[in-house]
Amino acid sequence: AGADAVLGYRVLRVYSHDTAAFTQGLEYVPHRGAFLESTGQWGESQLREVDVDTGKVLRRVPLSREFFGEGCTELNGRVYQLTWKEKTCLVYDATTFEPLGRMHYQTEGWGVSNDGVHLITSDGTPKLAFRDPETFEELRSVDVHEAAGGEVLPVRNVNELEYVRGEVWANVWHTDRIARINPADGRVLGWIDLAGINPAGGKPPPGMAGEDVLNGIAWDESRDRLWVTGKTWGKLFEIELVRK
């Protein structure tokens, strides 16, 4: 980690983001030039395709009322969308958003990304699971941790995930920090501190005060663009990372 143990940020551009979006998953889809976004809340959860420049929702698929949408990712022509407590991964055709089926798992569903081969999932604990995209079978797992003063400290509440330059980047629920994780062993390589990026916060729904938290990381590999947002935030930020 060294000099990059904690990175700060510089805002390059501010985009509009739908304040009705309780953002649980965010990913940039290069061949569409758009965001894939998954939103939460029972009865309001959706899978969306969102225009980067305007924040306009281009397509949306509502989830049935029993599902609380969580993370989402696209791999091999399919979109995978986790659900929170329903232990169900919804699978769609990435081009048409038509449902292709459902797969099941034994934990809560929080974040999902992929490394081009495997799905990578989080469940709110320190665990990251690497899964077969055909069956959702867990092939291996790592526990996210940081070493501090000779101690190994677990990192809990690992949430929305993005695979960036061979690292897994993760929002940590109810913090302003993103963990940069080594996928081989779960070790935290460093942190990205996004404190103060959106002082206005968001517009959380009734009964959800304080839940307008940082959540949502998207990366454009070809142009090395990085975006972040939060639940019910009216803004989405393109940032660059800077040494503190």
Side-chain angles (χ1 to χ4, degrees):
D4 295 334
V6 180
L7 293 168
Y9 66 92
R10 180 182 297 118
V11 173
L12 300 178
R13 189 170 168 190
V14 181
Y15 300 83
S16 292
H17 182 253
D18 179 10
T19 56
F22 198 77
T23 305
Q24 301 286 32
L26 187 71
E27 186 170 281
Y28 179 71
V29 182
H31 61 89
R32 305 194 80 88
F35 292 126
L36 187 68
E37 184 169 17
S38 174
T39 70
Q41 302 295 331
W42 283 291
E44 297 178 22
S45 294
Q46 297 180 349
L47 179 71
R48 297 176 166 193
E49 183 180 17
V50 179
D51 184 77
V52 173
D53 288 328
T54 64
K56 181 183 175 189
V57 179
L58 304 174
R59 292 191 289 173
R60 67 181 86 212
V61 178
L63 275 60
S64 57
R65 296 192 68 86
E66 74 265 29
F67 290 124
F68 189 116
E70 285 283 341
C72 62
T73 194
E74 180 178 320
L75 177 63
N76 299 334
R78 296 177 181 177
V79 170
Y80 299 84
Q81 183 181 30
L82 301 189
T83 58
W84 181 25
K85 295 188 174 182
E86 298 78 55
K87 299 182 178 178
T88 302
C89 175
L90 307 173
V91 185
Y92 307 83
D93 181 285
T95 302
T96 64
F97 276 19
E98 288 293 318
L100 294 178
R102 298 176 177 181
M103 297 191 290
H104 300 280
Y105 46 93
Q106 299 306 311
T107 64
E108 289 190 357
W110 285 42
V112 61
S113 186
N114 74 83
D115 59 9
V117 178
H118 302 114
L119 299 173
I120 307 168
T121 63
S122 65
D123 60 11
T125 73
K127 178 177 168 178
L128 294 181
F130 294 75
R131 298 179 179 273
D132 182 334
E134 296 298 321
T135 64
F136 220 69
E137 177 190 358
E138 182 183 314
L139 303 175
R140 72 178 183 95
S141 67
V142 297
D143 286 330
V144 180
H145 64 279
E146 57 180 339
E151 281 190 280
V152 175
L153 305 173
V155 177
R156 297 181 175 85
N157 294 322
V158 175
N159 201 359
E160 213 270 324
L161 306 176
E162 187 80 7
Y163 191 76
V164 181
R165 295 190 208 97
E167 301 173 1
V168 178
W169 290 13
N171 288 117
V172 179
W173 188 50
H174 274 280
T175 76
D176 291 323
R177 298 201 301 171
I178 291 171
R180 295 173 41 226
I181 301 159
N182 182 338
D185 60 8
R187 182 169 50 92
V188 173
L189 301 168
W191 295 92
I192 300 164
D193 185 355
L194 296 176
I197 195 166
N198 185 33
K203 296 184 177 178
M208 300 290 287
E211 290 301 323
D212 52 337
V213 294
L214 179 75
N215 206 44
I217 310 164
W219 182 54
D220 173 7
E221 181 176 10
S222 63
R223 294 175 59 185
D224 196 21
R225 291 185 294 173
L226 179 65
W227 299 272
V228 295
T229 192
K231 301 179 184 185
T232 72
W233 288 13
K235 295 175 179 177
L236 179 145
F237 300 88
E238 182 184 345
I239 62 172
E240 66 177 355
L241 303 181
V242 298
R243 288 183 171 172
K244 297 188 75 165

